[in-house]
Amino acid sequence: MKSPHSFHALFLLALFGAIPAHAEWHLTVHAGDFDRQDVIVTFDAPEGVRGNYTLKAADGPHIALQIDSAGHAVFIEPRLAKGAEKTYSLTTTSDLPPAITASKEGDVLKVAGQPGDVPIFHYQTTPGPVPEGVPAYFSHGAHLHPIFSPSGRIVTGNHPPDHRWHRGVWLAWTDTDFEGRHPDFWNEGKEKGGALTGEVRFASLDRTWSGPVQGGFVSRHRFIDHTGGAEKDVLGETWEVAATRVPGAFIIDLASTQTTAGEIPLKLPKYFYGGLGVRGPGGWNPVDQVTMLTSNGDDRLKGDNSKAKWVHMGGAVEGQPTGLAVLIHPANFRFPQPLRLNPKNPQLCIAPSQGGDWEIAPGKPYISRYRLVIADGAPDAANLDRLWDDYATPPRVEMKNE
């Protein structure tokens, strides 16, 4: 028979959730309906579980687990068969070296893989330099460029001769209606003398981080209407961008949240481009030097104005094939989203306005998520399908303290 003191101790444990000193956290990852290989696993960690940990299964290597102060957790699961699960124990560690670093140099945030300071991408905050002979009004910020492949080849372009306003990877709207005016946020500087009708302006770099699994940043942008004389804010935008390094590829996750600056909606008429833009490097400018491939198996011409769950653009850089793919999250508006695959330039756009008139309304944030996969070599459709499955339906995680 238990003593009254034992019953009292059990009561306190039940009441306050006290954990015995010998208990430890365990994490179980469930593969779900797909075979998994080098898959990014994210989840929200329980209260009080923060910082860097080492994961250890019954067999296999130690794995880094990164948990930020808000409880957002991430690790890379090396391999897990369809329907299988794996349980890890957690060990707190303070000496895990960073795998991804984010460091600001002037007006550029540089994100790199470690060791070796291998460049992954740069984020241009305020407007940056333009090539010699290009008017200064084409100087832009609030975009990613350059983006590098694992071999160090650059897969994006900026200020190309045919469209000086193209800028690496960016988000902007083209045909719009705001208070009866029509600011164009895409073609910045295109008007005579560089006059702006609309502008996407960097506002702030709110947070950066480096870590043993991911590094990245959170920033804010302003969509500004110039058509009414004085500047007027139309939208506020937050970018959350995280970079991960997996065997054979760099992965960049970009989440954009756009909200109206006031009580007036931004109306977006049906139009064939505007949204997420990607411009390829100069070596891909000749029509026969770039290829595009969609998740439907369509090429550049057939894929234009189609809908897809991913799209790849690639070509030779320094004599070797390389490229990047955009994976489209299934929660995005009008998924599978419409595509603009430019028939003359190495430029693509995820363009939801192709589907008809719509608007970004007060109190209804517009959230769009994309995963960029940058890899050397020719595109592998089966592998991109696998990576999209990982992105759209990631493994599930449970944590227990026992």
Side-chain angles (χ1 to χ4, degrees):
M1 180 176 178
K2 289 184 172 64
S3 70
H5 297 294
S6 298
F7 283 117
H8 181 65
L10 290 171
F11 172 75
L12 289 175
L13 283 170
L15 180 62
F16 295 108
I19 303 297
H22 63 272
E24 65 177 8
W25 284 102
H26 290 85
L27 178 157
T28 301
V29 55
H30 302 264
D33 295 333
F34 304 99
D35 290 329
R36 309 290 188 172
Q37 180 179 340
D38 301 317
V39 58
I40 299 171
V41 182
T42 60
F43 63 98
D44 291 327
E47 189 71 32
V49 184
R50 302 291 185 267
N52 297 329
Y53 294 80
T54 297
L55 298 178
K56 178 61 178 175
D59 55 2
H62 291 92
I63 296 173
L65 170 64
Q66 177 180 330
I67 307 176
D68 69 15
S69 60
H72 303 311
V74 59
F75 68 97
I76 299 171
E77 172 55 48
R79 188 177 295 273
L80 195 61
K82 173 182 177 180
E85 62 182 50
K86 187 186 296 183
T87 298
Y88 294 97
S89 59
L90 277 67
T91 302
T92 306
T93 180
S94 59
D95 59 356
L96 282 175
I100 307 290
T101 55
S103 58
K104 194 167 184 289
E105 298 182 17
D107 58 4
V108 175
L109 182 72
K110 296 184 176 182
V111 176
Q114 305 297 339
D117 205 30
V118 179
I120 298 175
F121 70 84
H122 294 174
Y123 170 59
Q124 183 69 46
T125 58
T126 53
V130 297
E132 185 177 355
V134 175
Y137 52 72
F138 285 117
S139 178
H140 303 306
H143 63 271
L144 305 182
H145 174 78
I147 295 177
F148 301 85
S149 77
S151 67
R153 291 168 167 82
I154 294 175
V155 298
T156 52
N158 207 14
H159 306 298
D162 51 75
H163 293 79
R164 293 297 189 190
W165 48 91
H166 285 181
R167 45 198 185 273
V169 172
W170 75 106
L171 267 158
W173 305 111
T174 311
D175 189 12
T176 76
D177 184 329
F178 178 69
E179 297 183 336
R181 301 184 300 275
H182 306 285
D184 179 350
F185 302 101
W186 181 281
N187 297 292
E188 290 187 42
K190 183 180 179 180
E191 297 296 318
K192 184 177 180 180
L196 294 174
T197 63
E199 176 191 5
V200 181
R201 184 186 299 174
F202 169 80
S204 63
L205 185 62
D206 292 353
R207 184 165 65 95
T208 68
W209 66 91
S210 304
V213 182
Q214 282 186 340
F217 69 91
V218 174
S219 67
R220 282 183 285 171
H221 305 155
R222 296 167 59 198
F223 283 60
I224 301 171
D225 173 22
H226 289 268
T227 61
E231 295 181 357
K232 186 162 186 178
D233 282 70
V234 179
L235 299 175
E237 180 183 47
T238 299
W239 271 20
E240 182 166 352
V241 179
T244 314
R245 196 178 183 184
V246 299
F250 294 152
I251 293 178
I252 303 171
D253 286 318
L254 189 161
S256 162
T257 301
Q258 297 181 356
T259 56
T260 59
E263 295 304 312
I264 307 299
L266 177 65
K267 297 180 180 180
L268 295 158
K270 183 176 182 179
Y271 201 70
F272 67 105
Y273 70 92
L276 180 78
V278 182
R279 177 71 192 215
W284 298 354
N285 285 349
V287 172
D288 61 352
Q289 294 301 303
V290 65
T291 63
M292 299 186 191
L293 177 69
T294 78
S295 56
N296 305 313
D298 295 334
D299 63 11
R300 184 182 197 171
L301 295 179
K302 189 176 179 181
D304 189 25
N305 297 314
S306 69
K307 296 182 178 182
K309 62 183 183 182
W310 58 257
V311 57
H312 181 277
M313 178 168 63
V317 177
E318 299 172 12
Q320 298 296 324
T322 190
L324 77 163
V326 181
L327 312 186
I328 302 169
H329 198 278
N332 285 2
F333 176 60
R334 288 181 172 162
F335 177 84
Q337 289 189 298
L339 304 177
R340 167 58 174 168
L341 307 184
N342 194 304
K344 298 179 180 179
N345 316 119
Q347 187 264 327
L348 63 84
C349 177
I350 315 299
S353 294
Q354 283 185 17
D357 298 355
W358 64 292
E359 68 177 24
I360 300 174
K364 297 181 179 180
Y366 173 73
I367 300 172
S368 53
R369 297 182 178 91
Y370 301 98
R371 173 168 286 179
L372 309 183
V373 179
I374 306 97
D376 295 297
D380 182 335
N383 189 52
L384 289 171
D385 281 338
R386 178 184 69 83
L387 292 171
W388 185 85
D389 289 336
D390 288 343
Y391 183 45
T393 313
R396 182 172 59 87
V397 170
E398 294 178 302
M399 283 192 70
K400 295 181 180 180
N401 196 320
E402 52 192 14

PDB file of all heavy atoms in Angstrom, residues 365-381:
ATOM      1  N   PRO A 365      -4.959  38.737 -45.329  1.00  0.00           N
ATOM      2  CA  PRO A 365      -3.588  38.663 -45.837  1.00  0.00           C
ATOM      3  C   PRO A 365      -3.477  37.692 -47.015  1.00  0.00           C
ATOM      4  O   PRO A 365      -4.115  36.632 -47.026  1.00  0.00           O
ATOM      5  CB  PRO A 365      -2.791  38.155 -44.635  1.00  0.00           C
ATOM      6  CG  PRO A 365      -3.619  38.532 -43.444  1.00  0.00           C
ATOM      7  CD  PRO A 365      -5.047  38.417 -43.895  1.00  0.00           C
ATOM      8  N   TYR A 366      -2.685  38.082 -47.986  1.00  0.00           N
ATOM      9  CA  TYR A 366      -2.395  37.224 -49.133  1.00  0.00           C
ATOM     10  C   TYR A 366      -1.055  36.552 -48.867  1.00  0.00           C
ATOM     11  O   TYR A 366      -0.010  37.213 -48.802  1.00  0.00           O
ATOM     12  CB  TYR A 366      -2.348  38.027 -50.425  1.00  0.00           C
ATOM     13  CG  TYR A 366      -1.894  37.206 -51.613  1.00  0.00           C
ATOM     14  CD1 TYR A 366      -2.741  36.258 -52.180  1.00  0.00           C
ATOM     15  CD2 TYR A 366      -0.628  37.359 -52.152  1.00  0.00           C
ATOM     16  CE1 TYR A 366      -2.330  35.483 -53.260  1.00  0.00           C
ATOM     17  CE2 TYR A 366      -0.208  36.593 -53.229  1.00  0.00           C
ATOM     18  CZ  TYR A 366      -1.066  35.661 -53.776  1.00  0.00           C
ATOM     19  OH  TYR A 366      -0.647  34.889 -54.831  1.00  0.00           O
ATOM     20  N   ILE A 367      -1.087  35.235 -48.679  1.00  0.00           N
ATOM     21  CA  ILE A 367       0.115  34.469 -48.336  1.00  0.00           C
ATOM     22  C   ILE A 367       0.481  33.572 -49.511  1.00  0.00           C
ATOM     23  O   ILE A 367      -0.370  32.835 -50.023  1.00  0.00           O
ATOM     24  CB  ILE A 367      -0.111  33.625 -47.073  1.00  0.00           C
ATOM     25  CG1 ILE A 367      -0.471  34.533 -45.884  1.00  0.00           C
ATOM     26  CG2 ILE A 367       1.128  32.788 -46.745  1.00  0.00           C
ATOM     27  CD1 ILE A 367      -0.904  33.790 -44.643  1.00  0.00           C
ATOM     28  N   SER A 368       1.724  33.636 -49.928  1.00  0.00           N
ATOM     29  CA  SER A 368       2.214  32.751 -50.988  1.00  0.00           C
ATOM     30  C   SER A 368       3.534  32.138 -50.550  1.00  0.00           C
ATOM     31  O   SER A 368       4.379  32.820 -49.946  1.00  0.00           O
ATOM     32  CB  SER A 368       2.372  33.506 -52.309  1.00  0.00           C
ATOM     33  OG  SER A 368       3.152  34.669 -52.157  1.00  0.00           O
ATOM     34  N   ARG A 369       3.683  30.850 -50.849  1.00  0.00           N
ATOM     35  CA  ARG A 369       4.880  30.109 -50.429  1.00  0.00           C
ATOM     36  C   ARG A 369       5.486  29.399 -51.642  1.00  0.00           C
ATOM     37  O   ARG A 369       4.767  28.777 -52.428  1.00  0.00           O
ATOM     38  CB  ARG A 369       4.540  29.076 -49.354  1.00  0.00           C
ATOM     39  CG  ARG A 369       4.009  29.659 -48.051  1.00  0.00           C
ATOM     40  CD  ARG A 369       3.759  28.553 -47.030  1.00  0.00           C
ATOM     41  NE  ARG A 369       3.285  29.074 -45.758  1.00  0.00           N
ATOM     42  CZ  ARG A 369       2.010  29.247 -45.442  1.00  0.00           C
ATOM     43  NH1 ARG A 369       1.075  28.937 -46.344  1.00  0.00           N
ATOM     44  NH2 ARG A 369       1.658  29.722 -44.265  1.00  0.00           N
ATOM     45  N   TYR A 370       6.800  29.489 -51.732  1.00  0.00           N
ATOM     46  CA  TYR A 370       7.530  28.842 -52.817  1.00  0.00           C
ATOM     47  C   TYR A 370       8.816  28.238 -52.265  1.00  0.00           C
ATOM     48  O   TYR A 370       9.396  28.773 -51.319  1.00  0.00           O
ATOM     49  CB  TYR A 370       7.857  29.848 -53.922  1.00  0.00           C
ATOM     50  CG  TYR A 370       6.625  30.494 -54.506  1.00  0.00           C
ATOM     51  CD1 TYR A 370       6.201  31.752 -54.071  1.00  0.00           C
ATOM     52  CD2 TYR A 370       5.865  29.832 -55.461  1.00  0.00           C
ATOM     53  CE1 TYR A 370       5.046  32.339 -54.580  1.00  0.00           C
ATOM     54  CE2 TYR A 370       4.706  30.410 -55.982  1.00  0.00           C
ATOM     55  CZ  TYR A 370       4.309  31.660 -55.537  1.00  0.00           C
ATOM     56  OH  TYR A 370       3.162  32.227 -56.035  1.00  0.00           O
ATOM     57  N   ARG A 371       9.225  27.147 -52.864  1.00  0.00           N
ATOM     58  CA  ARG A 371      10.509  26.525 -52.534  1.00  0.00           C
ATOM     59  C   ARG A 371      11.359  26.491 -53.794  1.00  0.00           C
ATOM     60  O   ARG A 371      10.947  25.912 -54.815  1.00  0.00           O
ATOM     61  CB  ARG A 371      10.311  25.115 -51.971  1.00  0.00           C
ATOM     62  CG  ARG A 371      11.615  24.337 -51.759  1.00  0.00           C
ATOM     63  CD  ARG A 371      11.398  23.070 -50.934  1.00  0.00           C
ATOM     64  NE  ARG A 371      11.188  23.407 -49.526  1.00  0.00           N
ATOM     65  CZ  ARG A 371      10.959  22.498 -48.572  1.00  0.00           C
ATOM     66  NH1 ARG A 371      10.882  21.204 -48.885  1.00  0.00           N
ATOM     67  NH2 ARG A 371      10.785  22.882 -47.316  1.00  0.00           N
ATOM     68  N   LEU A 372      12.518  27.130 -53.757  1.00  0.00           N
ATOM     69  CA  LEU A 372      13.456  27.120 -54.866  1.00  0.00           C
ATOM     70  C   LEU A 372      14.463  26.001 -54.645  1.00  0.00           C
ATOM     71  O   LEU A 372      15.053  25.882 -53.554  1.00  0.00           O
ATOM     72  CB  LEU A 372      14.190  28.452 -54.973  1.00  0.00           C
ATOM     73  CG  LEU A 372      13.338  29.728 -54.991  1.00  0.00           C
ATOM     74  CD1 LEU A 372      14.233  30.949 -55.167  1.00  0.00           C
ATOM     75  CD2 LEU A 372      12.297  29.675 -56.083  1.00  0.00           C
ATOM     76  N   VAL A 373      14.655  25.182 -55.665  1.00  0.00           N
ATOM     77  CA  VAL A 373      15.623  24.097 -55.617  1.00  0.00           C
ATOM     78  C   VAL A 373      16.684  24.396 -56.662  1.00  0.00           C
ATOM     79  O   VAL A 373      16.379  24.456 -57.861  1.00  0.00           O
ATOM     80  CB  VAL A 373      14.964  22.733 -55.892  1.00  0.00           C
ATOM     81  CG1 VAL A 373      16.012  21.619 -55.859  1.00  0.00           C
ATOM     82  CG2 VAL A 373      13.855  22.463 -54.878  1.00  0.00           C
ATOM     83  N   ILE A 374      17.912  24.590 -56.225  1.00  0.00           N
ATOM     84  CA  ILE A 374      18.999  24.943 -57.130  1.00  0.00           C
ATOM     85  C   ILE A 374      19.978  23.776 -57.169  1.00  0.00           C
ATOM     86  O   ILE A 374      20.496  23.361 -56.125  1.00  0.00           O
ATOM     87  CB  ILE A 374      19.702  26.233 -56.679  1.00  0.00           C
ATOM     88  CG1 ILE A 374      18.680  27.370 -56.512  1.00  0.00           C
ATOM     89  CG2 ILE A 374      20.772  26.634 -57.679  1.00  0.00           C
ATOM     90  CD1 ILE A 374      18.202  27.572 -55.112  1.00  0.00           C
ATOM     91  N   ALA A 375      20.217  23.256 -58.370  1.00  0.00           N
ATOM     92  CA  ALA A 375      21.068  22.076 -58.507  1.00  0.00           C
ATOM     93  C   ALA A 375      21.791  22.117 -59.850  1.00  0.00           C
ATOM     94  O   ALA A 375      21.262  22.631 -60.839  1.00  0.00           O
ATOM     95  CB  ALA A 375      20.253  20.788 -58.391  1.00  0.00           C
ATOM     96  N   ASP A 376      22.987  21.573 -59.871  1.00  0.00           N
ATOM     97  CA  ASP A 376      23.721  21.421 -61.120  1.00  0.00           C
ATOM     98  C   ASP A 376      23.212  20.202 -61.876  1.00  0.00           C
ATOM     99  O   ASP A 376      22.649  19.272 -61.292  1.00  0.00           O
ATOM    100  CB  ASP A 376      25.212  21.283 -60.824  1.00  0.00           C
ATOM    101  CG  ASP A 376      25.790  22.554 -60.216  1.00  0.00           C
ATOM    102  OD1 ASP A 376      25.770  23.586 -60.900  1.00  0.00           O
ATOM    103  OD2 ASP A 376      26.248  22.507 -59.051  1.00  0.00           O
ATOM    104  N   GLY A 377      23.418  20.216 -63.204  1.00  0.00           N
ATOM    105  CA  GLY A 377      22.963  19.115 -64.039  1.00  0.00           C
ATOM    106  C   GLY A 377      21.645  19.422 -64.716  1.00  0.00           C
ATOM    107  O   GLY A 377      21.003  20.457 -64.471  1.00  0.00           O
ATOM    108  N   ALA A 378      21.235  18.511 -65.579  1.00  0.00           N
ATOM    109  CA  ALA A 378      19.967  18.647 -66.292  1.00  0.00           C
ATOM    110  C   ALA A 378      18.801  18.406 -65.331  1.00  0.00           C
ATOM    111  O   ALA A 378      18.958  17.728 -64.312  1.00  0.00           O
ATOM    112  CB  ALA A 378      19.910  17.656 -67.446  1.00  0.00           C
ATOM    113  N   PRO A 379      17.616  18.940 -65.624  1.00  0.00           N
ATOM    114  CA  PRO A 379      16.471  18.721 -64.736  1.00  0.00           C
ATOM    115  C   PRO A 379      16.061  17.258 -64.698  1.00  0.00           C
ATOM    116  O   PRO A 379      16.079  16.565 -65.712  1.00  0.00           O
ATOM    117  CB  PRO A 379      15.372  19.588 -65.351  1.00  0.00           C
ATOM    118  CG  PRO A 379      15.758  19.757 -66.781  1.00  0.00           C
ATOM    119  CD  PRO A 379      17.254  19.783 -66.791  1.00  0.00           C
ATOM    120  N   ASP A 380      15.692  16.802 -63.509  1.00  0.00           N
ATOM    121  CA  ASP A 380      15.244  15.431 -63.293  1.00  0.00           C
ATOM    122  C   ASP A 380      13.799  15.507 -62.818  1.00  0.00           C
ATOM    123  O   ASP A 380      13.527  15.817 -61.649  1.00  0.00           O
ATOM    124  CB  ASP A 380      16.137  14.757 -62.246  1.00  0.00           C
ATOM    125  CG  ASP A 380      15.774  13.310 -61.978  1.00  0.00           C
ATOM    126  OD1 ASP A 380      14.609  12.921 -62.201  1.00  0.00           O
ATOM    127  OD2 ASP A 380      16.653  12.548 -61.520  1.00  0.00           O
ATOM    128  N   ALA A 381      12.860  15.240 -63.725  1.00  0.00           N
ATOM    129  CA  ALA A 381      11.442  15.421 -63.407  1.00  0.00           C
ATOM    130  C   ALA A 381      11.002  14.530 -62.251  1.00  0.00           C
ATOM    131  O   ALA A 381      10.236  14.971 -61.379  1.00  0.00           O
ATOM    132  CB  ALA A 381      10.591  15.153 -64.642  1.00  0.00           C
TER     133      ALA A 381
END
